[in-house]
Short mmCIF file of all heavy atoms in Angstrom, two decimals:
data_model
loop_
_atom_site.label_atom_id
_atom_site.label_comp_id
_atom_site.label_asym_id
_atom_site.label_seq_id
_atom_site.Cartn_x
_atom_site.Cartn_y
_atom_site.Cartn_z
N GLN A 1 -4.55 9.64 0.22
CA GLN A 1 -3.86 10.98 0.26
C GLN A 1 -2.46 10.91 -0.27
O GLN A 1 -1.92 11.89 -0.95
CB GLN A 1 -3.80 11.45 1.76
CG GLN A 1 -5.18 11.89 2.25
CD GLN A 1 -5.11 12.19 3.76
OE1 GLN A 1 -4.18 11.85 4.43
NE2 GLN A 1 -6.25 12.82 4.26
N LEU A 2 -1.77 9.82 -0.11
CA LEU A 2 -0.45 9.56 -0.71
C LEU A 2 -0.50 9.33 -2.22
O LEU A 2 0.31 9.76 -3.06
CB LEU A 2 0.31 8.32 -0.09
CG LEU A 2 0.73 8.64 1.29
CD1 LEU A 2 1.28 7.25 1.89
CD2 LEU A 2 1.72 9.76 1.43
N ALA A 3 -1.59 8.62 -2.75
CA ALA A 3 -1.74 8.26 -4.17
C ALA A 3 -1.83 9.56 -5.05
O ALA A 3 -1.62 9.51 -6.26
CB ALA A 3 -2.90 7.33 -4.39
N THR A 4 -2.43 10.59 -4.44
CA THR A 4 -2.64 11.79 -5.18
C THR A 4 -1.56 12.94 -5.10
O THR A 4 -1.71 14.02 -5.58
CB THR A 4 -4.01 12.47 -4.75
OG1 THR A 4 -3.94 12.61 -3.38
CG2 THR A 4 -5.15 11.61 -5.07
N ALA A 5 -0.48 12.60 -4.43
CA ALA A 5 0.48 13.57 -3.97
C ALA A 5 1.46 13.93 -5.15
O ALA A 5 1.87 13.00 -5.84
CB ALA A 5 1.25 13.07 -2.75
N ASP A 6 1.90 15.15 -5.16
CA ASP A 6 2.94 15.60 -5.99
C ASP A 6 4.30 15.85 -5.06
O ASP A 6 5.37 15.87 -5.51
CB ASP A 6 2.71 16.91 -6.68
CG ASP A 6 1.59 16.70 -7.69
OD1 ASP A 6 1.69 16.13 -8.71
OD2 ASP A 6 0.44 17.14 -7.45
N LEU A 7 4.04 16.11 -3.77
CA LEU A 7 5.00 16.26 -2.82
C LEU A 7 4.61 15.61 -1.44
O LEU A 7 3.45 15.94 -1.06
CB LEU A 7 5.41 17.72 -2.73
CG LEU A 7 6.47 18.08 -1.52
CD1 LEU A 7 7.88 17.63 -1.98
CD2 LEU A 7 6.56 19.60 -1.31
N VAL A 8 5.50 14.94 -0.77
CA VAL A 8 5.13 14.52 0.56
C VAL A 8 5.96 15.10 1.57
O VAL A 8 7.21 14.99 1.43
CB VAL A 8 5.20 12.93 0.65
CG1 VAL A 8 4.85 12.38 2.11
CG2 VAL A 8 4.22 12.31 -0.43
N VAL A 9 5.39 15.72 2.62
CA VAL A 9 6.19 16.34 3.70
C VAL A 9 6.03 15.37 4.88
O VAL A 9 4.94 15.12 5.44
CB VAL A 9 5.59 17.70 4.14
CG1 VAL A 9 6.35 18.22 5.32
CG2 VAL A 9 5.65 18.60 3.00
N ILE A 10 7.22 14.61 5.26
CA ILE A 10 7.20 13.71 6.36
C ILE A 10 7.50 14.65 7.57
O ILE A 10 8.59 15.07 7.71
CB ILE A 10 8.28 12.63 6.14
CG1 ILE A 10 7.91 11.84 4.98
CG2 ILE A 10 8.34 11.78 7.41
CD1 ILE A 10 8.81 10.74 4.59
N HIS A 11 6.47 14.80 8.39
CA HIS A 11 6.52 15.85 9.42
C HIS A 11 6.82 15.28 10.71
O HIS A 11 6.67 14.14 10.95
CB HIS A 11 5.10 16.57 9.45
CG HIS A 11 5.08 17.91 10.01
ND1 HIS A 11 4.09 18.41 10.65
CD2 HIS A 11 6.04 18.96 10.00
CE1 HIS A 11 4.38 19.71 11.07
NE2 HIS A 11 5.55 20.04 10.62
N LYS A 12 7.25 16.22 11.70
CA LYS A 12 7.58 15.86 12.98
C LYS A 12 8.80 14.84 13.14
O LYS A 12 8.63 13.79 13.85
CB LYS A 12 6.39 15.37 13.75
CG LYS A 12 5.11 16.18 13.70
CD LYS A 12 3.98 15.60 14.34
CE LYS A 12 2.75 16.40 14.18
NZ LYS A 12 1.53 15.79 14.88
N THR A 13 9.74 14.94 12.36
CA THR A 13 10.87 13.92 12.19
C THR A 13 11.86 14.23 13.35
O THR A 13 12.68 13.28 13.54
CB THR A 13 11.60 14.10 10.94
OG1 THR A 13 12.06 15.44 10.73
CG2 THR A 13 10.61 13.78 9.78
N ASP A 14 11.79 15.24 14.03
CA ASP A 14 12.73 15.56 15.14
C ASP A 14 12.55 14.50 16.25
O ASP A 14 11.52 14.20 16.58
CB ASP A 14 12.64 16.94 15.73
CG ASP A 14 11.22 17.32 15.99
OD1 ASP A 14 10.32 16.89 15.14
OD2 ASP A 14 10.85 17.90 17.05
N GLY A 15 13.63 13.92 16.73
CA GLY A 15 13.56 12.90 17.70
C GLY A 15 13.50 11.42 17.16
O GLY A 15 13.61 10.48 17.95
N LEU A 16 13.39 11.29 15.80
CA LEU A 16 13.36 9.92 15.22
C LEU A 16 14.72 9.60 14.63
O LEU A 16 15.35 10.41 14.03
CB LEU A 16 12.35 9.87 14.14
CG LEU A 16 10.93 10.17 14.56
CD1 LEU A 16 10.00 9.97 13.35
CD2 LEU A 16 10.41 9.23 15.63
N ASP A 17 15.23 8.41 14.92
CA ASP A 17 16.57 7.99 14.51
C ASP A 17 16.52 7.60 12.96
O ASP A 17 15.38 7.54 12.45
CB ASP A 17 17.15 6.92 15.34
CG ASP A 17 16.22 5.65 15.30
OD1 ASP A 17 15.61 5.44 14.33
OD2 ASP A 17 16.31 4.95 16.41
N ALA A 18 17.77 7.40 12.54
CA ALA A 18 17.78 7.11 10.98
C ALA A 18 17.02 5.90 10.65
O ALA A 18 16.32 5.82 9.65
CB ALA A 18 19.22 6.91 10.59
N ALA A 19 17.02 4.81 11.54
CA ALA A 19 16.36 3.52 11.16
C ALA A 19 14.82 3.71 11.11
O ALA A 19 14.13 3.24 10.27
CB ALA A 19 16.76 2.44 12.09
N THR A 20 14.32 4.50 12.10
CA THR A 20 12.93 4.78 12.24
C THR A 20 12.43 5.59 10.94
O THR A 20 11.33 5.39 10.41
CB THR A 20 12.56 5.54 13.44
OG1 THR A 20 13.03 4.71 14.61
CG2 THR A 20 11.08 5.73 13.65
N LEU A 21 13.29 6.61 10.65
CA LEU A 21 12.90 7.46 9.49
C LEU A 21 12.84 6.62 8.19
O LEU A 21 11.91 6.80 7.41
CB LEU A 21 13.85 8.56 9.35
CG LEU A 21 13.60 9.76 10.31
CD1 LEU A 21 14.82 10.73 10.05
CD2 LEU A 21 12.32 10.42 10.01
N ALA A 22 13.87 5.65 8.09
CA ALA A 22 13.80 4.73 6.93
C ALA A 22 12.52 3.92 6.94
O ALA A 22 11.93 3.71 5.85
CB ALA A 22 15.01 3.89 6.99
N GLN A 23 12.06 3.51 8.09
CA GLN A 23 10.85 2.67 8.20
C GLN A 23 9.62 3.53 7.70
O GLN A 23 8.89 3.04 6.97
CB GLN A 23 10.68 2.21 9.50
CG GLN A 23 9.31 1.67 9.89
CD GLN A 23 9.02 1.56 11.36
OE1 GLN A 23 9.81 1.57 12.11
NE2 GLN A 23 7.71 1.34 11.69
N VAL A 24 9.59 4.78 8.14
CA VAL A 24 8.52 5.72 7.67
C VAL A 24 8.49 5.99 6.29
O VAL A 24 7.46 5.84 5.57
CB VAL A 24 8.61 7.05 8.51
CG1 VAL A 24 7.65 8.03 8.03
CG2 VAL A 24 8.35 6.78 10.05
N GLU A 25 9.74 6.21 5.65
CA GLU A 25 9.84 6.39 4.30
C GLU A 25 9.42 5.20 3.45
O GLU A 25 8.79 5.39 2.42
CB GLU A 25 11.27 6.88 3.94
CG GLU A 25 11.54 8.26 4.33
CD GLU A 25 12.80 8.70 3.55
OE1 GLU A 25 13.33 8.05 2.65
OE2 GLU A 25 13.16 9.90 3.76
N ALA A 26 9.71 4.06 3.94
CA ALA A 26 9.29 2.80 3.19
C ALA A 26 7.77 2.70 3.26
O ALA A 26 7.22 2.29 2.17
CB ALA A 26 10.00 1.55 3.87
N ALA A 27 7.14 2.96 4.38
CA ALA A 27 5.69 2.88 4.35
C ALA A 27 5.07 3.89 3.42
O ALA A 27 4.08 3.72 2.79
CB ALA A 27 5.28 3.16 5.75
N VAL A 28 5.72 5.18 3.35
CA VAL A 28 5.09 6.17 2.53
C VAL A 28 5.35 5.85 1.04
O VAL A 28 4.50 5.97 0.20
CB VAL A 28 5.75 7.51 2.95
CG1 VAL A 28 5.33 8.61 1.83
CG2 VAL A 28 5.17 7.97 4.25
N ARG A 29 6.57 5.38 0.74
CA ARG A 29 6.85 5.09 -0.75
C ARG A 29 6.00 4.05 -1.22
O ARG A 29 5.73 3.89 -2.41
CB ARG A 29 8.46 4.62 -0.72
CG ARG A 29 9.35 5.74 -0.61
CD ARG A 29 9.46 6.49 -1.94
NE ARG A 29 10.56 7.52 -1.80
CZ ARG A 29 10.61 8.54 -2.58
NH1 ARG A 29 9.59 8.84 -3.44
NH2 ARG A 29 11.57 9.47 -2.46
N ALA A 30 5.62 2.95 -0.39
CA ALA A 30 4.74 1.93 -0.86
C ALA A 30 3.42 2.41 -1.39
O ALA A 30 2.84 1.73 -2.24
CB ALA A 30 4.51 0.98 0.21
N GLU A 31 3.03 3.60 -1.08
CA GLU A 31 1.59 4.12 -1.54
C GLU A 31 1.79 5.43 -2.34
O GLU A 31 0.78 6.02 -2.74
CB GLU A 31 0.84 4.34 -0.31
CG GLU A 31 0.54 3.20 0.62
CD GLU A 31 -0.08 1.98 -0.13
OE1 GLU A 31 -0.73 2.20 -1.14
OE2 GLU A 31 0.19 0.92 0.22
N THR A 32 3.06 5.78 -2.62
CA THR A 32 3.27 7.12 -3.38
C THR A 32 3.77 6.84 -4.78
O THR A 32 4.48 6.00 -4.96
CB THR A 32 4.42 7.96 -2.66
OG1 THR A 32 3.97 8.13 -1.19
CG2 THR A 32 4.56 9.30 -3.19
N PRO A 33 3.10 7.64 -5.68
CA PRO A 33 3.56 7.50 -7.12
C PRO A 33 5.04 7.69 -7.29
O PRO A 33 5.72 8.38 -6.58
CB PRO A 33 2.81 8.54 -7.88
CG PRO A 33 1.55 8.83 -7.02
CD PRO A 33 2.07 8.75 -5.57
N ALA A 34 5.56 6.88 -8.25
CA ALA A 34 7.05 6.98 -8.56
C ALA A 34 7.44 8.35 -8.93
O ALA A 34 6.74 9.07 -9.69
CB ALA A 34 7.42 6.02 -9.68
N GLY A 35 8.59 8.80 -8.36
CA GLY A 35 9.16 10.08 -8.72
C GLY A 35 8.65 11.29 -7.82
O GLY A 35 9.24 12.39 -7.84
N VAL A 36 7.73 10.91 -6.96
CA VAL A 36 7.24 11.97 -5.95
C VAL A 36 8.36 12.28 -4.96
O VAL A 36 8.84 11.27 -4.28
CB VAL A 36 5.93 11.61 -5.37
CG1 VAL A 36 5.51 12.58 -4.21
CG2 VAL A 36 4.78 11.58 -6.33
N LYS A 37 8.62 13.42 -4.61
CA LYS A 37 9.82 13.86 -3.75
C LYS A 37 9.17 13.68 -2.31
O LYS A 37 8.12 14.27 -2.05
CB LYS A 37 10.27 15.18 -3.94
CG LYS A 37 11.50 15.57 -3.15
CD LYS A 37 11.91 17.03 -3.58
CE LYS A 37 13.07 17.49 -2.62
NZ LYS A 37 14.33 16.57 -2.74
N LEU A 38 10.03 13.20 -1.36
CA LEU A 38 9.72 13.19 0.04
C LEU A 38 10.71 14.21 0.72
O LEU A 38 11.84 14.14 0.52
CB LEU A 38 9.89 11.83 0.71
CG LEU A 38 9.24 10.69 -0.02
CD1 LEU A 38 9.44 9.34 0.87
CD2 LEU A 38 7.74 10.88 -0.22
#
């Protein structure tokens, strides 16, 4: 689902601190084509 994305919506971010969000973004970026906006 990430490999085919043109845009990724990281949802339900309320309540997550900056470090946790960075962790989530790293996991998503690992599978998302370069240049795709999060």
Side-chain angles (χ1 to χ4, degrees):
Q1 290 176 343
L2 290 175
T4 56
D6 297 284
L7 174 72
V8 177
V9 176
I10 299 181
H11 202 214
K12 308 177 186 177
T13 57
D14 46 322
L16 300 184
D17 57 32
T20 303
L21 281 175
Q23 171 195 343
V24 172
E25 286 201 1
V28 171
R29 284 286 185 203
E31 304 301 334
T32 305
V36 171
K37 184 177 178 63
L38 310 185

